[in-house]
Amino acid sequence: AQRVTQPEKLLSVFKGAPVELKCNYSYSGSPELFWYVQYSRQRLQLLLRHISRESIKGFTADLNKGETSFHLKKPFAQEEDSAMYYCALKRGGGADGLTFGKGTHLIIQP
Amino acid sequence: DAGITQSPRYKITETGRQVTLMCHQTWSHSYMFWYRQDLGHGLRLIYYSAAADITDKGEVPDGYVVSRSKTENFPLTLESATRSQTSVYFCASRDTGGAYNEQFFGPGTRLTVL
């Protein structure tokens, strides 16, 4: 069975500092990886997907198949980045849902 | 464009009662999902559906029942609620043709079982 691990429950950094939220996965096949974000009092929304190799709100994430990781990075944190971040995996193909990590609560201090 | 909605947003019930959480989407997405969100567990998949009348179990299906008679609705029923089912429940949907398999989430239903 697949699994997603986010080792940090809470990450606190100062505004302007770099941010890295870690995500490791285990899956024998070829997964699709996502980062979802949940801002306070808002619904869960997609932030990034590995397949599109995009940068959203200054965040990037690179899939490293050798290390089975999909870490989320931002060079300069902003206060509005404070939120709950979830890494998620979808098995390639099929209708089934996502397997989520337990989430990392990111707090950006002024 | 309402997107995906859930009702009720908050519900308090008692152990042993039957509770139904509603989910409605206006996009005609084929896939729909139910997750529960608990502290220390993140989100876990309860059930999912690939189309009307097609449903399948996720990671934590015990104690839950789903149906999907219409594409736009995907109700989740707790047949006999237990305290361990106190949680926040999220419904989500996804298009079959989406290139990136993005799931869109509802606002959630906070359920408390006393």
Side-chain angles (χ1 to χ4, degrees):
Chain A
Q2 64 273 23
R3 189 171 65 215
V4 176
T5 302
Q6 293 180 250
E8 305 127 334
K9 288 185 181 179
L10 175 67
L11 184 63
S12 179
V13 302
F14 286 101
K15 177 182 173 182
V19 173
E20 183 178 38
L21 285 77
K22 291 185 169 54
C23 172
N24 288 90
Y25 67 91
S26 63
Y27 178 56
S28 57
S30 183
E32 297 174 43
L33 274 297
F34 305 83
W35 277 100
Y36 278 81
V37 61
Q38 189 175 27
Y39 300 103
S40 179
R41 298 187 190 86
Q42 294 187 27
R43 63 183 71 190
L44 207 65
Q45 57 187 279
L46 179 66
L47 179 64
L48 281 178
R49 43 211 158 191
H50 89 270
I51 196 170
S52 58
R53 294 175 176 257
E54 57 202 340
S55 173
I56 301 293
K57 298 183 180 182
F59 285 98
T60 59
D62 291 319
L63 179 61
N64 186 323
K65 292 186 177 180
E67 296 184 356
T68 59
S69 68
F70 188 56
H71 303 328
L72 183 68
K73 299 177 183 179
K74 184 170 183 176
F76 307 103
Q78 298 173 301
E79 288 186 66
E80 55 264 34
D81 295 330
S82 294
M84 197 73 186
Y85 291 79
Y86 291 97
C87 183
L89 176 154
K90 182 188 176 304
R91 294 183 291 183
D96 55 345
L98 298 170
T99 298
F100 284 86
K102 295 182 180 181
T104 297
H105 188 189
L106 177 64
I107 297 174
I108 308 300
Q109 299 190 46
Chain B
D1 183 2
I4 183 165
T5 57
Q6 294 182 235
S7 62
R9 294 294 313 281
Y10 302 90
K11 177 73 176 178
I12 299 174
T13 190
E14 294 177 338
T15 301
R17 289 190 180 265
Q18 182 180 81
V19 177
T20 297
L21 309 184
M22 303 301 294
C23 178
H24 176 78
Q25 52 105 354
T26 59
W27 295 306
S28 298
H29 285 171
S30 290
Y31 301 144
M32 295 188 75
F33 310 87
W34 275 106
Y35 297 88
R36 58 178 290 175
Q37 183 184 41
D38 303 288
L39 275 175
H41 289 282
L43 281 86
R44 292 178 291 175
L45 181 66
I46 305 171
Y47 268 96
Y48 62 97
S49 169
D53 297 322
I54 301 174
T55 62
D56 211 342
K57 295 178 180 179
E59 181 186 352
V60 289
D62 293 343
Y64 302 96
V65 174
V66 293
S67 62
R68 195 157 176 218
S69 58
K70 293 183 178 181
T71 300
E72 61 267 30
N73 297 324
F74 191 38
L76 176 74
T77 298
L78 289 67
E79 292 190 304
S80 179
T82 64
R83 289 201 179 102
S84 64
Q85 293 178 308
T86 293
S87 186
V88 181
Y89 291 86
F90 288 98
C91 179
S93 71
R94 174 169 71 84
D95 187 16
T96 52
Y100 302 121
N101 290 315
E102 178 178 356
Q103 288 190 18
F104 296 89
F105 284 81
T109 294
R110 185 175 293 276
L111 176 68
T112 301
V113 182
L114 301 176

PDB file of all heavy atoms in Angstrom, chain B residues 71-102:
ATOM      1  N   THR B  71     -25.291  11.762 -10.766  1.00  0.00           N
ATOM      2  CA  THR B  71     -23.899  12.180 -10.900  1.00  0.00           C
ATOM      3  C   THR B  71     -23.533  13.284  -9.928  1.00  0.00           C
ATOM      4  O   THR B  71     -22.442  13.307  -9.376  1.00  0.00           O
ATOM      5  CB  THR B  71     -23.626  12.658 -12.339  1.00  0.00           C
ATOM      6  OG1 THR B  71     -23.876  11.586 -13.241  1.00  0.00           O
ATOM      7  CG2 THR B  71     -22.189  13.132 -12.509  1.00  0.00           C
ATOM      8  N   GLU B  72     -24.452  14.226  -9.712  1.00  0.00           N
ATOM      9  CA  GLU B  72     -24.108  15.414  -8.940  1.00  0.00           C
ATOM     10  C   GLU B  72     -24.148  15.238  -7.429  1.00  0.00           C
ATOM     11  O   GLU B  72     -23.683  16.097  -6.700  1.00  0.00           O
ATOM     12  CB  GLU B  72     -25.027  16.577  -9.343  1.00  0.00           C
ATOM     13  CG  GLU B  72     -26.505  16.334  -9.106  1.00  0.00           C
ATOM     14  CD  GLU B  72     -27.219  15.774 -10.324  1.00  0.00           C
ATOM     15  OE1 GLU B  72     -26.556  15.062 -11.118  1.00  0.00           O
ATOM     16  OE2 GLU B  72     -28.424  16.027 -10.458  1.00  0.00           O
ATOM     17  N   ASN B  73     -24.728  14.144  -6.944  1.00  0.00           N
ATOM     18  CA  ASN B  73     -24.878  13.954  -5.499  1.00  0.00           C
ATOM     19  C   ASN B  73     -24.149  12.712  -5.007  1.00  0.00           C
ATOM     20  O   ASN B  73     -24.176  11.655  -5.666  1.00  0.00           O
ATOM     21  CB  ASN B  73     -26.357  13.844  -5.135  1.00  0.00           C
ATOM     22  CG  ASN B  73     -27.125  15.115  -5.457  1.00  0.00           C
ATOM     23  OD1 ASN B  73     -26.606  16.223  -5.310  1.00  0.00           O
ATOM     24  ND2 ASN B  73     -28.362  14.956  -5.916  1.00  0.00           N
ATOM     25  N   PHE B  74     -23.562  12.842  -3.834  1.00  0.00           N
ATOM     26  CA  PHE B  74     -22.814  11.718  -3.272  1.00  0.00           C
ATOM     27  C   PHE B  74     -22.975  11.747  -1.746  1.00  0.00           C
ATOM     28  O   PHE B  74     -22.081  12.160  -1.016  1.00  0.00           O
ATOM     29  CB  PHE B  74     -21.352  11.835  -3.671  1.00  0.00           C
ATOM     30  CG  PHE B  74     -20.511  10.608  -3.379  1.00  0.00           C
ATOM     31  CD1 PHE B  74     -21.008   9.332  -3.532  1.00  0.00           C
ATOM     32  CD2 PHE B  74     -19.175  10.752  -2.987  1.00  0.00           C
ATOM     33  CE1 PHE B  74     -20.232   8.211  -3.286  1.00  0.00           C
ATOM     34  CE2 PHE B  74     -18.377   9.629  -2.736  1.00  0.00           C
ATOM     35  CZ  PHE B  74     -18.913   8.371  -2.893  1.00  0.00           C
ATOM     36  N   PRO B  75     -24.111  11.320  -1.222  1.00  0.00           N
ATOM     37  CA  PRO B  75     -24.335  11.361   0.212  1.00  0.00           C
ATOM     38  C   PRO B  75     -23.562  10.292   0.977  1.00  0.00           C
ATOM     39  O   PRO B  75     -23.352   9.182   0.474  1.00  0.00           O
ATOM     40  CB  PRO B  75     -25.849  11.134   0.331  1.00  0.00           C
ATOM     41  CG  PRO B  75     -26.213  10.387  -0.905  1.00  0.00           C
ATOM     42  CD  PRO B  75     -25.284  10.865  -1.982  1.00  0.00           C
ATOM     43  N   LEU B  76     -23.162  10.654   2.165  1.00  0.00           N
ATOM     44  CA  LEU B  76     -22.438   9.746   3.058  1.00  0.00           C
ATOM     45  C   LEU B  76     -23.302   9.524   4.302  1.00  0.00           C
ATOM     46  O   LEU B  76     -23.709  10.483   4.947  1.00  0.00           O
ATOM     47  CB  LEU B  76     -21.102  10.360   3.478  1.00  0.00           C
ATOM     48  CG  LEU B  76     -20.264   9.584   4.489  1.00  0.00           C
ATOM     49  CD1 LEU B  76     -19.625   8.363   3.831  1.00  0.00           C
ATOM     50  CD2 LEU B  76     -19.179  10.481   5.088  1.00  0.00           C
ATOM     51  N   THR B  77     -23.579   8.273   4.620  1.00  0.00           N
ATOM     52  CA  THR B  77     -24.428   7.950   5.771  1.00  0.00           C
ATOM     53  C   THR B  77     -23.657   7.187   6.831  1.00  0.00           C
ATOM     54  O   THR B  77     -22.953   6.221   6.518  1.00  0.00           O
ATOM     55  CB  THR B  77     -25.650   7.125   5.327  1.00  0.00           C
ATOM     56  OG1 THR B  77     -26.442   7.898   4.418  1.00  0.00           O
ATOM     57  CG2 THR B  77     -26.510   6.735   6.529  1.00  0.00           C
ATOM     58  N   LEU B  78     -23.806   7.669   8.050  1.00  0.00           N
ATOM     59  CA  LEU B  78     -23.309   6.933   9.203  1.00  0.00           C
ATOM     60  C   LEU B  78     -24.513   6.209   9.769  1.00  0.00           C
ATOM     61  O   LEU B  78     -25.457   6.833  10.272  1.00  0.00           O
ATOM     62  CB  LEU B  78     -22.729   7.878  10.252  1.00  0.00           C
ATOM     63  CG  LEU B  78     -21.409   8.589   9.939  1.00  0.00           C
ATOM     64  CD1 LEU B  78     -21.523   9.593   8.803  1.00  0.00           C
ATOM     65  CD2 LEU B  78     -20.870   9.257  11.195  1.00  0.00           C
ATOM     66  N   GLU B  79     -24.545   4.909   9.632  1.00  0.00           N
ATOM     67  CA  GLU B  79     -25.758   4.164   9.966  1.00  0.00           C
ATOM     68  C   GLU B  79     -26.040   4.158  11.467  1.00  0.00           C
ATOM     69  O   GLU B  79     -27.193   4.205  11.887  1.00  0.00           O
ATOM     70  CB  GLU B  79     -25.644   2.736   9.442  1.00  0.00           C
ATOM     71  CG  GLU B  79     -25.660   2.689   7.906  1.00  0.00           C
ATOM     72  CD  GLU B  79     -25.802   1.289   7.374  1.00  0.00           C
ATOM     73  OE1 GLU B  79     -24.960   0.443   7.734  1.00  0.00           O
ATOM     74  OE2 GLU B  79     -26.748   1.034   6.603  1.00  0.00           O
ATOM     75  N   SER B  80     -25.004   4.101  12.261  1.00  0.00           N
ATOM     76  CA  SER B  80     -25.139   4.128  13.724  1.00  0.00           C
ATOM     77  C   SER B  80     -23.896   4.840  14.257  1.00  0.00           C
ATOM     78  O   SER B  80     -22.864   4.224  14.472  1.00  0.00           O
ATOM     79  CB  SER B  80     -25.236   2.705  14.269  1.00  0.00           C
ATOM     80  OG  SER B  80     -25.340   2.729  15.682  1.00  0.00           O
ATOM     81  N   ALA B  81     -24.028   6.129  14.434  1.00  0.00           N
ATOM     82  CA  ALA B  81     -22.862   6.961  14.732  1.00  0.00           C
ATOM     83  C   ALA B  81     -22.161   6.549  16.026  1.00  0.00           C
ATOM     84  O   ALA B  81     -22.798   6.193  17.027  1.00  0.00           O
ATOM     85  CB  ALA B  81     -23.280   8.423  14.817  1.00  0.00           C
ATOM     86  N   THR B  82     -20.849   6.626  15.997  1.00  0.00           N
ATOM     87  CA  THR B  82     -20.029   6.358  17.183  1.00  0.00           C
ATOM     88  C   THR B  82     -19.147   7.571  17.465  1.00  0.00           C
ATOM     89  O   THR B  82     -18.913   8.404  16.577  1.00  0.00           O
ATOM     90  CB  THR B  82     -19.131   5.139  16.983  1.00  0.00           C
ATOM     91  OG1 THR B  82     -18.188   5.431  15.925  1.00  0.00           O
ATOM     92  CG2 THR B  82     -19.934   3.908  16.612  1.00  0.00           C
ATOM     93  N   ARG B  83     -18.659   7.680  18.671  1.00  0.00           N
ATOM     94  CA  ARG B  83     -17.834   8.841  19.057  1.00  0.00           C
ATOM     95  C   ARG B  83     -16.576   8.926  18.186  1.00  0.00           C
ATOM     96  O   ARG B  83     -16.092  10.023  17.912  1.00  0.00           O
ATOM     97  CB  ARG B  83     -17.457   8.763  20.528  1.00  0.00           C
ATOM     98  CG  ARG B  83     -18.621   9.002  21.465  1.00  0.00           C
ATOM     99  CD  ARG B  83     -18.162   9.424  22.836  1.00  0.00           C
ATOM    100  NE  ARG B  83     -19.309   9.673  23.701  1.00  0.00           N
ATOM    101  CZ  ARG B  83     -19.734   8.837  24.626  1.00  0.00           C
ATOM    102  NH1 ARG B  83     -19.104   7.700  24.830  1.00  0.00           N
ATOM    103  NH2 ARG B  83     -20.787   9.144  25.363  1.00  0.00           N
ATOM    104  N   SER B  84     -16.072   7.786  17.769  1.00  0.00           N
ATOM    105  CA  SER B  84     -14.859   7.788  16.943  1.00  0.00           C
ATOM    106  C   SER B  84     -15.104   8.380  15.551  1.00  0.00           C
ATOM    107  O   SER B  84     -14.147   8.639  14.805  1.00  0.00           O
ATOM    108  CB  SER B  84     -14.319   6.366  16.787  1.00  0.00           C
ATOM    109  OG  SER B  84     -15.239   5.559  16.081  1.00  0.00           O
ATOM    110  N   GLN B  85     -16.359   8.591  15.204  1.00  0.00           N
ATOM    111  CA  GLN B  85     -16.675   9.207  13.921  1.00  0.00           C
ATOM    112  C   GLN B  85     -16.794  10.731  14.023  1.00  0.00           C
ATOM    113  O   GLN B  85     -17.091  11.400  13.030  1.00  0.00           O
ATOM    114  CB  GLN B  85     -17.957   8.608  13.350  1.00  0.00           C
ATOM    115  CG  GLN B  85     -17.778   7.142  12.956  1.00  0.00           C
ATOM    116  CD  GLN B  85     -19.036   6.515  12.427  1.00  0.00           C
ATOM    117  OE1 GLN B  85     -20.097   6.577  13.070  1.00  0.00           O
ATOM    118  NE2 GLN B  85     -18.945   5.869  11.267  1.00  0.00           N
ATOM    119  N   THR B  86     -16.542  11.262  15.198  1.00  0.00           N
ATOM    120  CA  THR B  86     -16.421  12.715  15.333  1.00  0.00           C
ATOM    121  C   THR B  86     -15.232  13.165  14.503  1.00  0.00           C
ATOM    122  O   THR B  86     -14.108  12.694  14.707  1.00  0.00           O
ATOM    123  CB  THR B  86     -16.217  13.103  16.808  1.00  0.00           C
ATOM    124  OG1 THR B  86     -17.409  12.806  17.529  1.00  0.00           O
ATOM    125  CG2 THR B  86     -15.879  14.582  16.934  1.00  0.00           C
ATOM    126  N   SER B  87     -15.476  14.054  13.554  1.00  0.00           N
ATOM    127  CA  SER B  87     -14.433  14.423  12.604  1.00  0.00           C
ATOM    128  C   SER B  87     -14.938  15.565  11.725  1.00  0.00           C
ATOM    129  O   SER B  87     -16.084  15.994  11.828  1.00  0.00           O
ATOM    130  CB  SER B  87     -14.093  13.213  11.726  1.00  0.00           C
ATOM    131  OG  SER B  87     -12.989  13.474  10.884  1.00  0.00           O
ATOM    132  N   VAL B  88     -14.057  16.029  10.861  1.00  0.00           N
ATOM    133  CA  VAL B  88     -14.462  16.934   9.794  1.00  0.00           C
ATOM    134  C   VAL B  88     -14.464  16.125   8.506  1.00  0.00           C
ATOM    135  O   VAL B  88     -13.469  15.472   8.177  1.00  0.00           O
ATOM    136  CB  VAL B  88     -13.512  18.140   9.665  1.00  0.00           C
ATOM    137  CG1 VAL B  88     -13.992  19.060   8.542  1.00  0.00           C
ATOM    138  CG2 VAL B  88     -13.434  18.904  10.982  1.00  0.00           C
ATOM    139  N   TYR B  89     -15.564  16.180   7.785  1.00  0.00           N
ATOM    140  CA  TYR B  89     -15.735  15.386   6.584  1.00  0.00           C
ATOM    141  C   TYR B  89     -15.685  16.289   5.354  1.00  0.00           C
ATOM    142  O   TYR B  89     -16.383  17.297   5.279  1.00  0.00           O
ATOM    143  CB  TYR B  89     -17.066  14.641   6.628  1.00  0.00           C
ATOM    144  CG  TYR B  89     -17.074  13.559   7.672  1.00  0.00           C
ATOM    145  CD1 TYR B  89     -17.400  13.847   8.995  1.00  0.00           C
ATOM    146  CD2 TYR B  89     -16.734  12.240   7.343  1.00  0.00           C
ATOM    147  CE1 TYR B  89     -17.385  12.850   9.970  1.00  0.00           C
ATOM    148  CE2 TYR B  89     -16.720  11.245   8.308  1.00  0.00           C
ATOM    149  CZ  TYR B  89     -17.041  11.563   9.615  1.00  0.00           C
ATOM    150  OH  TYR B  89     -17.017  10.573  10.575  1.00  0.00           O
ATOM    151  N   PHE B  90     -14.857  15.884   4.410  1.00  0.00           N
ATOM    152  CA  PHE B  90     -14.714  16.630   3.170  1.00  0.00           C
ATOM    153  C   PHE B  90     -15.143  15.780   1.989  1.00  0.00           C
ATOM    154  O   PHE B  90     -14.753  14.631   1.854  1.00  0.00           O
ATOM    155  CB  PHE B  90     -13.259  17.059   2.950  1.00  0.00           C
ATOM    156  CG  PHE B  90     -12.812  18.149   3.864  1.00  0.00           C
ATOM    157  CD1 PHE B  90     -12.092  17.862   5.011  1.00  0.00           C
ATOM    158  CD2 PHE B  90     -13.115  19.473   3.576  1.00  0.00           C
ATOM    159  CE1 PHE B  90     -11.678  18.872   5.863  1.00  0.00           C
ATOM    160  CE2 PHE B  90     -12.698  20.485   4.420  1.00  0.00           C
ATOM    161  CZ  PHE B  90     -11.987  20.187   5.569  1.00  0.00           C
ATOM    162  N   CYS B  91     -15.930  16.402   1.139  1.00  0.00           N
ATOM    163  CA  CYS B  91     -16.294  15.814  -0.121  1.00  0.00           C
ATOM    164  C   CYS B  91     -15.421  16.450  -1.201  1.00  0.00           C
ATOM    165  O   CYS B  91     -15.035  17.626  -1.073  1.00  0.00           O
ATOM    166  CB  CYS B  91     -17.768  16.090  -0.394  1.00  0.00           C
ATOM    167  SG  CYS B  91     -18.394  15.446  -1.935  1.00  0.00           S
ATOM    168  N   ALA B  92     -15.116  15.705  -2.240  1.00  0.00           N
ATOM    169  CA  ALA B  92     -14.317  16.239  -3.332  1.00  0.00           C
ATOM    170  C   ALA B  92     -14.801  15.643  -4.645  1.00  0.00           C
ATOM    171  O   ALA B  92     -15.447  14.586  -4.665  1.00  0.00           O
ATOM    172  CB  ALA B  92     -12.832  15.926  -3.125  1.00  0.00           C
ATOM    173  N   SER B  93     -14.471  16.324  -5.733  1.00  0.00           N
ATOM    174  CA  SER B  93     -14.818  15.799  -7.047  1.00  0.00           C
ATOM    175  C   SER B  93     -13.680  16.044  -8.018  1.00  0.00           C
ATOM    176  O   SER B  93     -12.822  16.914  -7.793  1.00  0.00           O
ATOM    177  CB  SER B  93     -16.108  16.427  -7.567  1.00  0.00           C
ATOM    178  OG  SER B  93     -15.925  17.784  -7.926  1.00  0.00           O
ATOM    179  N   ARG B  94     -13.696  15.274  -9.083  1.00  0.00           N
ATOM    180  CA  ARG B  94     -12.628  15.397 -10.091  1.00  0.00           C
ATOM    181  C   ARG B  94     -13.199  15.040 -11.447  1.00  0.00           C
ATOM    182  O   ARG B  94     -14.016  14.126 -11.576  1.00  0.00           O
ATOM    183  CB  ARG B  94     -11.471  14.478  -9.723  1.00  0.00           C
ATOM    184  CG  ARG B  94     -10.369  14.394 -10.749  1.00  0.00           C
ATOM    185  CD  ARG B  94      -9.152  13.678 -10.187  1.00  0.00           C
ATOM    186  NE  ARG B  94      -9.329  12.255 -10.000  1.00  0.00           N
ATOM    187  CZ  ARG B  94      -9.178  11.342 -10.940  1.00  0.00           C
ATOM    188  NH1 ARG B  94      -8.865  11.704 -12.166  1.00  0.00           N
ATOM    189  NH2 ARG B  94      -9.331  10.053 -10.669  1.00  0.00           N
ATOM    190  N   ASP B  95     -12.699  15.727 -12.463  1.00  0.00           N
ATOM    191  CA  ASP B  95     -13.129  15.461 -13.819  1.00  0.00           C
ATOM    192  C   ASP B  95     -12.327  14.304 -14.391  1.00  0.00           C
ATOM    193  O   ASP B  95     -11.144  14.146 -14.067  1.00  0.00           O
ATOM    194  CB  ASP B  95     -12.925  16.723 -14.656  1.00  0.00           C
ATOM    195  CG  ASP B  95     -13.496  16.602 -16.053  1.00  0.00           C
ATOM    196  OD1 ASP B  95     -14.310  15.688 -16.291  1.00  0.00           O
ATOM    197  OD2 ASP B  95     -13.134  17.430 -16.905  1.00  0.00           O
ATOM    198  N   THR B  96     -12.932  13.515 -15.273  1.00  0.00           N
ATOM    199  CA  THR B  96     -12.195  12.413 -15.874  1.00  0.00           C
ATOM    200  C   THR B  96     -11.184  12.906 -16.885  1.00  0.00           C
ATOM    201  O   THR B  96     -10.142  12.311 -17.064  1.00  0.00           O
ATOM    202  CB  THR B  96     -13.146  11.448 -16.597  1.00  0.00           C
ATOM    203  OG1 THR B  96     -13.958  12.208 -17.497  1.00  0.00           O
ATOM    204  CG2 THR B  96     -14.020  10.715 -15.627  1.00  0.00           C
ATOM    205  N   GLY B  97     -11.501  14.011 -17.519  1.00  0.00           N
ATOM    206  CA  GLY B  97     -10.629  14.467 -18.591  1.00  0.00           C
ATOM    207  C   GLY B  97      -9.541  15.415 -18.139  1.00  0.00           C
ATOM    208  O   GLY B  97      -8.742  15.862 -18.930  1.00  0.00           O
ATOM    209  N   GLY B  98      -9.508  15.724 -16.847  1.00  0.00           N
ATOM    210  CA  GLY B  98      -8.517  16.667 -16.361  1.00  0.00           C
ATOM    211  C   GLY B  98      -7.110  16.155 -16.549  1.00  0.00           C
ATOM    212  O   GLY B  98      -6.803  15.023 -16.202  1.00  0.00           O
ATOM    213  N   ALA B  99      -6.256  17.012 -17.054  1.00  0.00           N
ATOM    214  CA  ALA B  99      -4.902  16.564 -17.348  1.00  0.00           C
ATOM    215  C   ALA B  99      -4.104  16.285 -16.087  1.00  0.00           C
ATOM    216  O   ALA B  99      -3.193  15.482 -16.097  1.00  0.00           O
ATOM    217  CB  ALA B  99      -4.186  17.617 -18.188  1.00  0.00           C
ATOM    218  N   TYR B 100      -4.443  16.943 -15.032  1.00  0.00           N
ATOM    219  CA  TYR B 100      -3.617  16.846 -13.845  1.00  0.00           C
ATOM    220  C   TYR B 100      -4.328  16.222 -12.658  1.00  0.00           C
ATOM    221  O   TYR B 100      -3.825  16.285 -11.552  1.00  0.00           O
ATOM    222  CB  TYR B 100      -3.107  18.243 -13.467  1.00  0.00           C
ATOM    223  CG  TYR B 100      -2.328  18.886 -14.583  1.00  0.00           C
ATOM    224  CD1 TYR B 100      -2.725  20.104 -15.121  1.00  0.00           C
ATOM    225  CD2 TYR B 100      -1.198  18.266 -15.114  1.00  0.00           C
ATOM    226  CE1 TYR B 100      -2.007  20.684 -16.149  1.00  0.00           C
ATOM    227  CE2 TYR B 100      -0.479  18.838 -16.136  1.00  0.00           C
ATOM    228  CZ  TYR B 100      -0.886  20.054 -16.658  1.00  0.00           C
ATOM    229  OH  TYR B 100      -0.176  20.631 -17.674  1.00  0.00           O
ATOM    230  N   ASN B 101      -5.480  15.640 -12.866  1.00  0.00           N
ATOM    231  CA  ASN B 101      -6.175  14.924 -11.794  1.00  0.00           C
ATOM    232  C   ASN B 101      -6.437  15.774 -10.566  1.00  0.00           C
ATOM    233  O   ASN B 101      -6.382  15.277  -9.445  1.00  0.00           O
ATOM    234  CB  ASN B 101      -5.380  13.672 -11.388  1.00  0.00           C
ATOM    235  CG  ASN B 101      -5.423  12.612 -12.473  1.00  0.00           C
ATOM    236  OD1 ASN B 101      -6.471  12.329 -13.033  1.00  0.00           O
ATOM    237  ND2 ASN B 101      -4.282  12.039 -12.790  1.00  0.00           N
ATOM    238  N   GLU B 102      -6.713  17.051 -10.761  1.00  0.00           N
ATOM    239  CA  GLU B 102      -6.961  17.918  -9.617  1.00  0.00           C
ATOM    240  C   GLU B 102      -8.298  17.603  -8.988  1.00  0.00           C
ATOM    241  O   GLU B 102      -9.320  17.514  -9.664  1.00  0.00           O
ATOM    242  CB  GLU B 102      -6.945  19.386 -10.037  1.00  0.00           C
ATOM    243  CG  GLU B 102      -7.236  20.340  -8.884  1.00  0.00           C
ATOM    244  CD  GLU B 102      -7.179  21.797  -9.295  1.00  0.00           C
ATOM    245  OE1 GLU B 102      -6.841  22.081 -10.451  1.00  0.00           O
ATOM    246  OE2 GLU B 102      -7.465  22.661  -8.433  1.00  0.00           O
TER     247      GLU B 102
END
